[in-house]
Structure formats: structure tokens, C-alpha cells
Amino acid sequence: MKIDTLLAGLDGVTDGAGGLVPPLRLSVTHAAQPGGPSRGYARSGPDGETLLETILARLDEAASALAFASGASAAQAALALVPPGREVLLEAEGYYEFRGIVQRATAARGLSLRLVEMTDLAAVAAQLSSGRVGMVWAEFPGNPLWQVPDLRRLSALSHGAGALLLVDATAATPHHIRPLTLGADVVLHSATKFLNGHGDLMAGALALADPDARAALVQHRTDTGTILAPFSEWLLLRGLRTFVLRMERASATAARLAVWLADQGLTVHYPGLPDHPQHAIACAQYTNGFGPMLSFRMGTAARADAVVAAVRIFRRATSLGSTESLIERRAATEGPGTRCPADLIRLSIGLEAAEDLIGDLQHALDTINRTKDNPT
Ligand SMILES: *Cc1c(COP(=O)(O)O)cnc(C)c1O
């Protein structure tokens, strides 16, 4: 069965009374069932996968999947798979908040952390040659420059050195990349973003190649109390019903915007453009287009700020993956210590008509070009 079909009917769900919508079960504790196992206390989750987890596993072609209260809590759990005393190799040019989160989490667990650009396979191999790396943590694509690591080669290198490969695929989603089919061991999603798609909940997921890793992760989730809340789980299932449609629309619009922005003479970061540095790897690994995220450069921070201030349809907010398109000057969001170029504008594309989004950017660029005789 294709993913579209699976999600449209949520795997043929019923609510137990013939209803075609999943039930919302809020109970924290559960009475002992005569003769049968009880769900017990909610923090531990049920025995086995929930409907949501089964669907997430199918999306990623995984042996098993787990849902968490956020992407960040899924990340903390993933670090529990790293044996004590080993190193974590993290994408240097990736999601900035995770540099801090992974740095603090590894330090607290006595693991050391090294940053490396995952598109530089020679640098990755050099780090792995120590034999001490327990996990390679890649991002597909890297945020906010959307560089594309070669997951096949990264997984071969990682496994050759006895390390697990984790891929944060939040920005590409299973619509565009299935890292486990390319050799990764763990896929991380912030389901807060495109998987839910409506900007109204936080959730995270881990998809696993090895079903035996599940028990340790369930234990970690129970210990840290990071189970996904029932209402968020229910909303996420609802959001997933339209996942494929949303991704098709947002990716097609992003591809149009990328070409349009490049035609304006701007530098554009988008894996689908032929001048993207890893375009060939992107073509070999992406499915269904190149995703709804792109960035472009305005030359100076002031010109980028002026564009962000002039748009009327894009919403000026951080985050990604909702129905409405978002715009930000990324370095301003990341703040001091950012590695992001100061003039970079990041776009998360939503479900508006492409013509309206192009018109909005055209208007913003016209506004700043009119004032270019008095540059700020
Ligand atoms: C948002 C995000 C996360 C963190 O997930 P939360 O749900 O916000 O905790 C991790 N990775 C990427 C690429 C993200 O965009």
C-alpha cells in the first residue's frame, strides 16, 4: 500500500464503535483487565507500538518507531544509544539549537562531541579513524544552507568504524528521504514541523532499523517522562492524513520560488537547483522533489532585514513546516555565535498559491530596490 493510501485512512483505523476517526484516550491509569494485560500507567506507554508509531515506522520503512513529547526529547533519547565513553560526531553546519542541546547532553553523560561537516567525507573519515566514535549525527538537508550529505557513503564509513548513523530528517521528511533504506540506523524527526504540518503541537519521533534498540528507548522515555501527550498524538494523526498532499504542494512551490529568486540574480540555496554544490547527490537520494525549505542571500544584513520587513503574506516567525509560509533573517534568530551568513533569509514554504508568494517577494524586492540609492 502506498503511503498516501495508508495515511488517508490512517491504516483503516476505527474507534471501537465503528467510527472512522481514532479515539482520544486521555486516561492516565488503566484498570486491570480480567485475564488480559493492562496498559497500566501512561508514562510507560502501552505494550508495543501505538497506531501513530506503526504509521511512523511505515513512513520511514523502519523496523520500529517511537513517539516523543518533542524533537528535542527524541534527540535526548537517541543519545542514550551511544555507549559510555564514546564520541558523538555532529553536523557542524546543522540546526543551531541542537549544537547546544547535543553539546550539553553529551557533556552531562561524559561523552565527547566533535563537529564536522558531513559533506566533507574525508574529514568524517579522519574523525572516525580514532575508533572512539559511537554515533555520527547527520542532518538531511543541513539547516539553513540545505547542504546534502551522501547518506550511503556516510553509513558505510560509520559502520566501518563501529558507529551508528543517525539522520535528522526533519526538514526533508519521509516524503523526500528514507535514510534507513540508505543505511542509516536511526532517523530523527521533529514531528512539530511538516509531519504535523499545522504549527499547533510539539512532537518528536525516532525510527529504527534495529527493533532491539526499542526497549532502551522506551525505558529512557519512561525515565524522563517524555511520552507524547494524548491530545498532541491525536492532532498529529489528524495532521498526517494530509501529509503527502501538503508536501507535494509545498515542495512544488518551493522549487518555483527557488528558480524565480535565482532569476532575480540572487544567490539561492536549494538542493533542486543545478548549481547547488551537492545537486548530483540530492538527485540520487531525494524522492518526490527537493522539499519545502530554501534560503537566499541579500548581500547585507540590512537588505535582508528590509526584505523581511516588507513582506505581507509570509509570516515573520521562526520554525518551519506549517500551512503558512514563514520568513526570517536566520542569523538574527540564531543570535550571537551563529555560523549562519548575516545576509541569509530562510523560507519555510506553506500551502499558499505560488503566485501570491512570488508576488509578495517581488513587492519586497521592489521596495528595497526603490530605496537602494540610500542604502541603510
Ligand atoms: C525543530 C527542529 C528540531 C527540534 O524539534 P522540537 O520539536 O522543536 O523539539 C530538530 N531538528 C530540526 C532540523 C528542527 O527543525
Side-chain angles (χ1 to χ4, degrees):
M1 187 192 291
K2 304 260 286 183
I3 291 302
D4 323 39
T5 312
L6 174 81
L7 293 179
L10 292 180
D11 205 15
V13 71
T14 61
D15 64 2
L20 304 189
V21 170
L24 173 56
R25 294 215 171 86
L26 297 170
S27 192
V28 166
T29 194
H30 301 81
Q33 301 289 323
S38 157
R39 277 183 72 145
Y41 189 62
R43 193 199 304 126
S44 330
D47 289 338
E49 285 178 343
T50 61
L51 170 66
L52 171 65
E53 291 172 333
T54 302
I55 286 176
L56 290 171
R58 295 270 287 276
L59 284 178
D60 265 314
E61 300 182 43
S64 184
L66 288 94
F68 291 86
S70 65
S73 54
Q76 300 278 354
L79 288 171
L81 298 173
V82 185
R86 304 289 289 277
E87 293 174 354
V88 175
L89 210 55
L90 178 68
E91 169 63 73
E93 302 294 337
Y95 176 53
Y96 85 117
E97 282 208 295
F98 268 20
R99 278 200 295 281
I101 289 175
V102 175
Q103 217 146 31
R104 289 184 291 275
T106 46
R109 303 183 64 239
L111 305 169
S112 47
L113 176 70
R114 291 176 196 283
L115 299 179
V116 66
E117 290 184 34
M118 296 294 167
T119 49
D120 184 349
L121 291 170
V124 173
Q127 293 287 354
L128 286 169
S129 67
S130 71
R132 288 194 297 270
V133 177
M135 179 177 275
V136 174
W137 186 301
E139 208 175 294
F140 192 102
N143 181 350
L145 293 168
W146 318 118
Q147 71 277 25
V148 180
D150 186 331
L151 297 183
R152 266 203 194 87
R153 294 186 63 191
L154 266 188
S155 65
L157 283 175
S158 305
H159 296 162
L164 296 171
L165 175 64
L166 176 144
V167 179
D168 181 341
T170 298
T173 80
H175 187 61
H176 294 297
I177 190 74
R178 305 268 170 91
L180 300 182
T181 68
L182 302 172
D185 302 284
V186 183
V187 182
L188 170 92
H189 296 291
S190 168
T192 309
K193 315 292 173 49
F194 292 104
L195 286 172
N196 178 51
H198 294 73
D200 51 10
L201 62 84
M202 298 203 76
L206 294 177
L208 307 173
D210 174 10
D212 293 342
R214 182 182 175 87
L217 293 167
V218 169
Q219 187 65 58
H220 178 95
R221 187 176 66 185
T222 304
D223 293 352
T224 53
T226 48
I227 197 160
L228 181 59
F231 189 51
S232 295
E233 180 175 6
W234 189 89
L235 277 176
L236 177 51
L237 282 167
R238 179 188 167 114
L240 279 168
R241 286 180 178 249
T242 54
F243 170 69
V244 174
L245 267 183
R246 290 187 284 100
M247 294 306 290
E248 283 173 355
R249 163 61 84 88
S251 295
T253 303
R256 263 184 80 178
L257 278 175
V259 169
W260 184 84
L261 286 163
D263 284 347
Q264 312 307 302
L266 299 168
T267 299
V268 179
H269 303 281
Y270 188 65
L273 292 179
D275 66 354
H276 182 281
Q278 295 93 34
H279 181 64
I281 297 167
C283 288
Q285 300 197 349
Y286 270 86
T287 54
N288 305 312
F290 299 92
M293 298 300 298
L294 70 155
S295 302
F296 63 101
R297 307 286 284 276
M298 286 306 300
T300 66
R303 283 168 59 82
D305 280 335
V307 167
V308 171
V311 295
R312 296 186 285 212
I313 293 173
F314 279 91
R315 307 296 296 271
R316 282 179 282 278
T318 191
S319 193
L320 53 139
S322 192
T323 56
E324 73 281 1
S325 293
L326 303 176
I327 188 169
E328 64 182 327
R329 184 168 74 79
R330 186 63 188 168
T333 303
E334 296 190 5
T338 177
R339 297 167 73 112
C340 177
D343 65 334
L344 181 144
I345 292 179
R346 190 182 86 173
L347 303 178
S348 167
I349 301 305
L351 305 184
E352 303 89 344
E355 294 77 3
D356 287 334
L357 295 178
I358 288 173
D360 199 28
L361 291 174
Q362 175 83 70
H363 157 80
L365 293 174
D366 288 350
T367 306
I368 69 155
N369 286 335
R370 272 200 303 278
T371 56
K372 80 165 167 239
D373 295 335
N374 339 296
T376 35

